[in-house]
């Protein structure tokens, strides 16, 4: 670098002016809390592969799974501070940011399968939700699936009464709190990385998660019963630090957008199968008894849980819920 350019750069840096990222040596730290062998873990690995390929090595992506870098509560803060550039927190974990919209996805018995869900995430409503993150210095890039949750404990969970007095671990969502309370359980917020130990030591009695999370965290080893209730959805928003993203050279951002789109299609394409495989692996392990809900039992769960939709509407706005229901009814 010639001397004049070097002096100018030094002066600029000293004055605190943010320089656009140079089209080389860009590093993206992508932190998440689940195992690599899950829908999110695999989508993150796919993003890394494609991002490095499409940018011809200008961008290096380092994926840190299993809460290696940050736990639930810390990761959003780390993103806003720029300590990591990319995350995919579950939609249930955005409440502390002051954006309640995403918590609508936690409502029990709102979506009947992935297709219905896609109508919301791929449509205008989903895009508006991602857009709202910008006021928090975050850019929302995509929705990533995990799947539909099952309930587990050391006692059978077939009728709503079976939940009475059980300490149930939840993610940090007011909707999930209301859901467990509606069943007469005692909700306990706990970081994902601590759930296995919490269940093992009896700090909590049970929990809910899609099979892929339950299996890869070995929760089935410490839960004797699980009910295939599919009562709620767990998915993610793929997000980046907005200043970082906007500061990328246009060509690099375009290549990364392509990697995001393809990793999203890949991850959402394998999510159901990953959960089916995890459920089968847990059945094979034989440590947990899996229950199906009869029609009457499902109706009894719904009777307790559907009122949570109205009861909690102030968290995300009755209008948002109405427009989601209208979209699903089409
Ligand atoms: C949980 O905390 O149960 C999940 O959000 C973990 C995850 O990211 O799937």
């Amino acid at each position: 670098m010639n001397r004049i350019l070097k002096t100018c750069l030094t002066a600029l840096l000293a004055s605190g002016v943010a320089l656009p990222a140079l089209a080389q040596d860009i590093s993206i730290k992508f932190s998440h809390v689940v195992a690599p062998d899950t829908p999110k873990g695999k989508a993150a690995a796919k993003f890394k592969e494609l991002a490095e390929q499409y940018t011809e090595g200008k961008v290096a992506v380092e994926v840190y799974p299993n809460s290696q870098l940050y736990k639930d509560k810390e990761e959003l803060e780390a993103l806003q501070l720029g300590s990591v550039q990319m995350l995919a927190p579950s939609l249930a974990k955005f409440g502390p940011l002051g954006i309640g919209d995403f918590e609508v996805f936690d409502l029990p018995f709102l979506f009947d399968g992935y297709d219905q869900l896609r109508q919301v995430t791929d449509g205008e409503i989903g895009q508006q939700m991602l857009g709202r993150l910008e006021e928090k210095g975050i850019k929302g890039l995509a929705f990533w699936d995990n799947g539909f949750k099952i309930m587990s404990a050391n006692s059978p969970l077939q009728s709503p009464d079976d939940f009475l007095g059980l300490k149930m671990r939840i993610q940090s969502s007011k909707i999930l709190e209301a859901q467990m309370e509606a069943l007469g359980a005692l909700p306990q917020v706990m970081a994902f990385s601590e759930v296995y130990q919490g269940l093992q030591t009896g700090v909590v009695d049970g929990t809910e998660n899609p099979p892929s999370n339950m299996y890869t965290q070995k929760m089935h080893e410490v839960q004797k019963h699980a009910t295939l209730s599919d009562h709620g959805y767990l998915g993610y928003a793929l997000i980046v630090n907005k200043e970082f993203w906007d500061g990328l050279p246009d060509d690099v951002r375009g290549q990364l957008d392509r990697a995001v789109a393809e990793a999203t299609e890949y991850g959402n394409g394998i999510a159901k199968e990953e959960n089916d495989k995890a459920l089968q692996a847990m059945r094979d392990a034989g440590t947990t008894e899996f229950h199906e809900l009869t029609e009457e039992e499902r109706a009894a769960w719904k009777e307790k849980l559907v009122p949570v939709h109205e009861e909690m509407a102030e968290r995300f706005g009755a209008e948002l819920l109405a427009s989601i229901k209208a979209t699903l009814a089409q």
Side-chain angles (χ1 to χ4, degrees), residues 65-85:
N66 272 326
S67 311
Q68 264 170 31
L69 220 46
Y70 297 105
K71 291 193 203 172
D72 290 345
K73 240 166 79 187
E74 308 148 354
E75 63 175 17
L76 274 166
E77 239 172 67
L79 185 88
Q80 286 178 304
L81 290 171
S83 310
V84 285
Q85 289 69 40

Side-chain angles (χ1 to χ4, degrees), residues 31-321:
S31 170
H32 69 79
V33 300
V34 296
D37 204 12
T38 54
K40 176 161 66 178
K42 289 190 171 182
K46 177 61 86 183
F47 170 73
K48 169 184 167 64
E49 174 198 322
L50 297 175
E52 292 178 351
Q53 181 189 330
Y54 294 156
T55 62
E56 295 174 346
K58 280 181 227 143
V59 172
V61 181
E62 294 157 40
V63 181
Y64 297 90
N66 272 326
S67 311
Q68 264 170 31
L69 220 46
Y70 297 105
K71 291 193 203 172
D72 290 345
K73 240 166 79 187
E74 308 148 354
E75 63 175 17
L76 274 166
E77 239 172 67
L79 185 88
Q80 286 178 304
L81 290 171
S83 310
V84 285
Q85 289 69 40
M86 197 170 226
L87 304 173
S90 105
L91 300 168
K93 293 178 186 166
F94 284 82
L97 268 189
I99 298 187
D101 295 26
F102 286 136
E103 285 186 351
V104 79
F105 289 101
D106 295 335
L107 285 175
F109 297 112
L110 179 60
F111 301 105
D112 192 12
Y114 290 90
D115 288 348
Q116 279 211 343
L117 180 92
R118 202 68 67 230
Q119 282 175 260
V120 175
T121 53
D122 288 357
E124 210 179 303
I125 301 177
Q127 295 319 301
Q128 276 171 3
M129 283 175 155
L130 291 179
R132 284 207 54 204
L133 292 169
E134 302 217 354
E135 67 198 56
K136 303 289 174 189
I138 294 172
K139 177 130 187 87
L141 298 176
F143 287 100
W144 281 6
D145 278 334
N146 189 328
F148 288 84
K149 294 179 284 188
I150 64 184
M151 290 278 200
S152 66
N154 280 319
S155 47
L157 299 171
Q158 277 169 279
S159 114
D161 286 350
D162 295 335
F163 286 85
L164 280 179
L166 288 186
K167 285 175 275 164
M168 297 295 285
R169 179 270 169 174
I170 55 163
Q171 307 175 75
S172 60
S173 149
K174 294 287 174 201
I175 309 300
L176 298 178
E177 199 176 301
Q179 168 194 277
M180 292 303 185
E181 280 169 358
L183 291 168
L186 308 169
Q188 315 260 317
V189 174
M190 186 180 273
F192 185 65
S193 54
E194 287 158 19
V195 181
Y196 175 85
Q197 211 188 352
L199 292 169
Q200 190 190 33
T201 55
V203 171
V204 284
D205 301 306
T207 188
E208 57 168 7
N209 239 303
S212 60
N213 277 352
M214 185 173 171
Y215 177 60
T216 52
Q217 298 299 315
K218 302 190 192 322
M219 293 179 204
H220 62 291
E221 291 178 0
V222 287
Q223 295 279 264
K224 291 196 176 69
H225 294 271
T227 300
L228 306 176
S229 46
D230 287 346
H231 61 280
Y233 171 74
L234 192 153
Y236 312 104
L238 178 67
I239 57 176
V240 280
N241 177 296
K242 182 168 155 47
E243 199 182 334
F244 165 78
W245 198 252
D246 291 346
L248 290 171
D250 287 349
D251 58 335
V252 171
R253 199 172 40 249
Q255 289 150 350
L256 293 179
D257 278 336
R258 182 175 163 209
V260 165
E262 290 177 24
T264 300
E265 200 178 324
Y266 164 80
N268 291 352
I270 61 163
K272 179 165 185 323
E273 196 187 321
E274 288 295 311
N275 277 300
D276 290 348
K277 279 197 305 206
L279 179 58
Q280 189 54 50
M282 290 192 286
R283 286 188 193 276
D284 294 346
T287 47
T288 311
E289 198 175 318
F290 289 92
H291 308 281
E292 308 275 350
L293 287 177
T294 63
E295 258 179 55
E296 296 81 62
E297 284 164 349
R298 182 169 293 277
W301 282 47
K302 284 190 172 173
E303 199 183 316
K304 292 274 184 203
L305 292 176
V306 172
V308 171
H309 294 198
E310 298 305 323
E311 197 185 302
M312 296 305 286
E314 66 182 26
R315 291 286 303 172
F316 38 75
E319 253 175 55
L320 174 62
L321 180 59

